[in-house]
Amino acid sequence: MTCVLFKLCLLSALVAVSQSNRLGPTSHLCYSRFLDHSNLVFLRWDFDLEAEFITFELQVRTAGRVGLGITNHYTNVGSDLVVGGVLPDGNVYFSDQHLVDEETLAEDGSQDAELLGLTEDAVYTTMRFSRPFCSCDPHDKDISSDTLRLLSAYGLDDTVKLSREQTFIKSLFLLQVIYHDVVDDPQETIIHDLEITDFLIPEVDTTYACIFLPLPIVNKKHHIYKFEPKLLEHNETMVHRILVYACGNASVLPTGIGECYGFDPAFSLCSQVIVGWAVGGLTYQLPDDVGISIGTPLDPQWIRLEVHYSNFNNLPGVYDSSGIRLYYTSQLRKYDMGVLELGILTFPLHFILLGAESFMSYGLCKTEKFDEMNGTPVPDMQVFGYLLHTHLAGRSLQAVKYRNGTQLQTICKDLSYDFNLQEIRDLPHLVDIKPGDELLVECHYQTLDRDTMTFGGTSTINEMCLIFLFYYPRNNISNCLGYLDIIYVTRELGEDASENPMENLMVMDNVEWTPENIKKAEKVCKESQQTVMIKTLDEQIENTTGWIPDIIPTPRGSCLESSGGKVEPQDKTPTGFRAVPMALYSLSIPILRPLPLVALLFLQGTLSWLLATLQDRV
């Protein structure tokens, strides 16, 4: 069914491009997802980026009312909800509403949703409507490129009230863009699985299991054009992330399965990501002119497969065989793809204070040495996709590009990040990165639920700040990560600073943090000089330094005035439904604590190497 829907979607997309008008009551919708665990609530949608309109079709197994809208991060109160249904006498009702409390709906003064179809049969109630991305109604939530929390609801009858048992919330990235036009896989498609086999998941909250595996052996160049996760159904909740790293062909690699960041540093070799998956992600297909090259002397022959497990309940005797499935072909594409990892070096020097309503961290990348480290001039990098990654305290991320000291654009962002929805996303337009550009990653955290400091680390209950950029043509640079000057930060906060970076972290871990000095610490961290660590596929490392530039916020787009009614910021319209006079077209996680600093340093197997790097800088 998914394949058929996708074929229809591609055909309709061609028509939509030529006509460039809003999706109507008969248009096929490209995207779909179940919104509940029991597969009772099914959503289809599509959008027009130029017209800034989106069309939804909600299909629910019920003969009562149905509703769809967007909710807030922490509460359903104030949620934007479109409600409709078919009365026993056959009349249709439909209304743009909002939640005034957890159960009570009130009609918006401005009706910004346009009904395209509403039917009921023996099994389903189906409602199709469109709305602008941004209306002028303060009760409406904007449709944006951020993660959105969709609220869906239904009732067994037409009573205008929400029931907790029939209300569901699911995070979705609605404005995804498909850049591949191939309906069927290439004729010469070959499948290859990279997986850990029968691995006994330890009875601890976090495990990074690594194994080195060969890539497919081919006698000429091929391109990987699609990949997807391989997850055992009963282990899905324990697998947090899967990454595949390319190894330099001169690397001496260990055998068997080992802890990636434990006491044997050999299991952390290879750092250039070529494909990846994280919680909430699905199958990903590359644009039609881009592929991951294998089979040439310049391509890796071996990879490191890294599987991150989160066994928070310490379940014993759980075996797993997760991995990544690759689809590759001899039908070559125009460009070879690469992945550039940006953000903050994952290490305790990245710290987040406890009890913070908001705490910003920054990771700087300076590309001025890319040509030198690559061995040849680096062509302009054309970024077409990205993957965002923080852990549980993360609330938003963005990557910003600067050239000659001037901010040019936001490469990618999600101001409503959800840890449980980490999927690869395509950009609506290519972003070019030239050697000499500076790239800044900003991560926003909230730690109101924590009573100790949070440090950078590999555990899910510690933190990361990473963005993976998917680009072409490929070069030899794998990482460009920044970290702050902890000695400067300690001194500026009025504490006695040590030349040993770890001792400074211990000092700050014992400070009593108030809202005022949390903000001061955030400011000092941003003003600190950053060390930028650049790494190549062959594990060559070069350090440079730089300063964090300011980020100029992107102006918010204008809203679209509705013809459905007057905008009333203090809406006093009584609860009710707008009549539809026209004939309608008939449509057939537990509470967690971050690891203490001492335990974190003990577990972090790369400590000695990183300390040496820091000492070289000092």
Side-chain angles (χ1 to χ4, degrees):
M1 178 178 177
T2 302
C3 181
V4 172
L5 180 62
F6 183 63
K7 292 180 181 180
L8 293 173
C9 164
L10 291 173
L11 292 174
S12 64
L14 296 175
V15 176
V17 169
S18 63
Q19 294 179 344
S20 187
N21 43 1
R22 202 179 308 171
L23 293 162
T26 62
S27 303
H28 295 291
L29 307 181
C30 288
Y31 307 93
S32 62
R33 197 75 62 89
F34 282 104
L35 301 183
D36 68 317
H37 295 299
S38 300
N39 293 347
L40 298 175
V41 182
F42 187 62
L43 178 69
R44 296 183 180 91
W45 78 95
D46 209 342
F47 52 87
D48 186 327
L49 287 175
E50 292 186 5
E52 296 191 348
F53 261 82
I54 189 165
T55 298
F56 295 105
E57 183 179 281
L58 185 69
Q59 187 176 70
V60 186
R61 289 179 179 266
T62 184
R65 55 171 165 70
V66 298
L68 179 72
I70 303 170
T71 189
N72 302 305
H73 193 106
Y74 300 106
T75 177
N76 291 345
V77 176
S79 298
D80 172 20
L81 197 67
V82 174
V83 180
V86 181
L87 295 168
D89 61 7
N91 287 323
V92 168
Y93 58 90
F94 175 78
S95 181
D96 183 5
Q97 309 233 334
H98 60 277
L99 269 170
V100 295
D101 58 40
E102 290 290 343
E103 295 182 339
T104 308
L105 288 162
E107 188 175 62
D108 292 1
S110 174
Q111 293 292 303
D112 302 294
E114 179 183 350
L115 183 61
L116 302 176
L118 217 170
T119 61
E120 180 184 303
D121 58 27
V123 181
Y124 298 107
T125 295
T126 303
M127 178 175 68
R128 179 184 282 222
F129 66 94
S130 64
R131 55 152 291 181
F133 287 180
C134 176
S135 75
C136 299
D137 187 347
H139 290 305
D140 290 345
K141 308 294 183 185
D142 290 351
I143 305 291
S144 69
S145 60
D146 303 320
T147 296
L148 297 175
R149 289 165 177 81
L150 266 64
L151 185 150
S152 58
Y154 71 92
L156 303 180
D157 54 33
D158 296 296
T159 305
V160 188
K161 189 175 183 180
L162 291 192
S163 167
R164 182 171 296 181
E165 291 73 21
Q166 282 97 38
T167 302
F168 311 96
I169 295 175
K170 187 177 184 68
S171 291
L172 283 180
F173 178 59
L174 290 176
L175 301 186
Q176 180 61 281
V177 180
I178 294 178
Y179 279 121
H180 53 86
D181 294 330
V182 179
V183 176
D184 297 314
D185 288 337
Q187 291 182 350
E188 298 182 10
T189 294
I190 308 168
I191 295 175
H192 184 80
D193 291 337
L194 302 169
E195 61 186 13
I196 286 180
T197 304
D198 294 330
F199 174 68
L200 178 60
I201 302 175
E203 298 172 40
V204 295
D205 63 63
T206 298
T207 300
Y208 280 78
C210 277
I211 186 172
F212 294 86
L213 299 169
L215 282 170
I217 299 173
V218 291
N219 57 13
K220 64 178 182 178
K221 181 172 180 173
H222 285 64
H223 268 142
I224 298 169
Y225 67 91
K226 182 170 68 173
F227 54 89
E228 63 190 15
K230 282 197 68 182
L231 305 173
L232 296 185
E233 184 175 351
H234 58 282
N235 293 348
E236 286 179 340
T237 59
M238 300 175 69
V239 181
H240 166 62
R241 189 175 66 168
I242 305 173
L243 291 177
V244 176
Y245 297 88
C247 295
N249 291 331
S251 303
V252 179
L253 306 174
T255 59
I257 302 174
E259 172 66 34
C260 304
Y261 307 104
F263 293 105
D264 185 351
F267 279 95
S268 63
L269 289 172
C270 313
S271 57
Q272 186 170 56
V273 174
I274 53 174
V275 300
W277 170 89
V279 175
L282 301 171
T283 299
Y284 180 71
Q285 185 161 331
L286 293 164
D288 285 340
D289 54 354
V290 181
I292 302 167
S293 178
I294 58 174
T296 80
L298 297 177
D299 297 327
Q301 299 170 12
W302 287 76
I303 60 91
R304 171 166 66 95
L305 177 68
E306 172 185 298
V307 183
H308 176 187
Y309 296 99
S310 296
N311 187 1
F312 290 124
N313 295 320
N314 298 328
L315 298 176
V318 179
Y319 287 85
D320 186 65
S321 298
S322 292
I324 293 282
R325 170 163 287 178
L326 306 176
Y327 295 79
Y328 65 100
T329 179
S330 60
Q331 297 175 231
L332 299 182
R333 277 98 186 285
K334 185 176 180 179
Y335 300 108
D336 294 339
M337 186 196 95
V339 179
L340 177 65
E341 182 179 351
L342 304 175
I344 301 175
L345 183 68
T346 301
F347 188 59
L349 288 186
H350 175 208
F351 66 88
I352 302 145
L353 300 180
L354 69 155
E357 172 71 34
S358 172
F359 193 87
M360 299 292 190
S361 297
Y362 299 89
L364 179 66
C365 169
K366 299 183 69 174
T367 67
E368 58 194 21
K369 293 191 176 184
F370 276 20
D371 285 349
E372 174 189 339
M373 296 192 67
N374 189 56
T376 58
V378 173
D380 290 358
M381 302 164 66
Q382 304 298 320
V383 180
F384 61 86
Y386 60 99
L387 174 64
L388 310 174
H389 184 66
T390 76
H391 287 172
L392 299 172
R395 293 296 179 266
S396 71
L397 302 86
Q398 63 175 326
V400 182
K401 180 179 75 173
Y402 300 81
R403 186 172 295 159
N404 300 323
T406 300
Q407 179 179 323
L408 292 187
Q409 67 186 117
T410 299
I411 301 173
C412 58
K413 68 179 180 65
D414 191 335
L415 302 184
S416 187
Y417 175 81
D418 187 336
F419 171 82
N420 294 306
L421 184 63
Q422 301 180 47
E423 57 184 343
I424 299 171
R425 304 175 181 182
D426 287 326
L427 292 170
H429 306 286
L430 293 174
V431 174
D432 73 302
I433 296 174
K434 297 179 180 295
D437 288 351
E438 290 191 359
L439 310 173
L440 179 65
V441 174
E442 177 191 70
C443 288
H444 171 211
Y445 301 95
Q446 186 184 85
T447 58
L448 292 175
D449 60 341
R450 304 196 177 193
D451 54 13
T452 61
M453 284 181 65
T454 300
F455 296 95
T458 55
S459 171
T460 306
I461 53 180
N462 291 108
E463 267 308 332
M464 292 185 176
C465 176
L466 299 173
I467 294 181
F468 301 87
L469 297 184
F470 289 52
Y471 71 91
Y472 64 82
R474 181 185 68 182
N475 60 54
N476 200 34
I477 309 299
S478 61
N479 311 75
C480 189
L481 303 168
Y483 59 92
L484 53 74
D485 182 346
I486 191 64
I487 297 174
Y488 168 85
V489 171
T490 305
R491 287 173 179 162
E492 288 299 304
L493 292 176
E495 303 293 334
D496 293 330
S498 167
E499 292 302 311
N500 184 330
M502 297 302 103
E503 290 183 7
N504 293 314
L505 288 177
M506 294 285 192
V507 168
M508 285 193 291
D509 197 20
N510 293 323
V511 172
E512 183 177 348
W513 293 103
T514 64
E516 292 75 23
N517 57 24
I518 286 175
K519 280 300 164 190
K520 180 181 179 181
E522 180 185 69
K523 180 174 181 290
V524 169
C525 289
K526 184 181 178 185
E527 294 172 347
S528 158
Q529 186 179 56
Q530 285 234 334
T531 296
V532 180
M533 187 186 78
I534 307 167
K535 186 185 287 189
T536 69
L537 171 64
D538 298 318
E539 304 294 318
Q540 297 179 17
I541 297 175
E542 182 85 28
N543 286 347
T544 185
T545 58
W547 304 92
I548 302 299
D550 290 330
I551 297 176
I552 302 171
T554 303
R556 185 174 181 268
S558 59
C559 60
L560 299 179
E561 288 283 1
S562 170
S563 60
K566 180 182 176 183
V567 176
E568 300 181 9
Q570 303 299 324
D571 191 351
K572 298 179 181 179
T573 305
T575 302
F577 289 100
R578 178 165 58 96
V580 184
M582 74 290 287
L584 299 176
Y585 185 89
S586 179
L587 300 172
S588 34
I589 291 199
I591 298 175
L592 303 173
R593 296 179 183 273
L595 290 180
L597 179 59
V598 174
L600 180 62
L601 296 177
F602 179 77
L603 292 172
Q604 198 120 345
T606 54
L607 174 61
S608 58
W609 173 79
L610 283 169
L611 279 175
T613 302
L614 291 170
Q615 292 297 335
D616 289 344
R617 182 173 64 84
V618 175

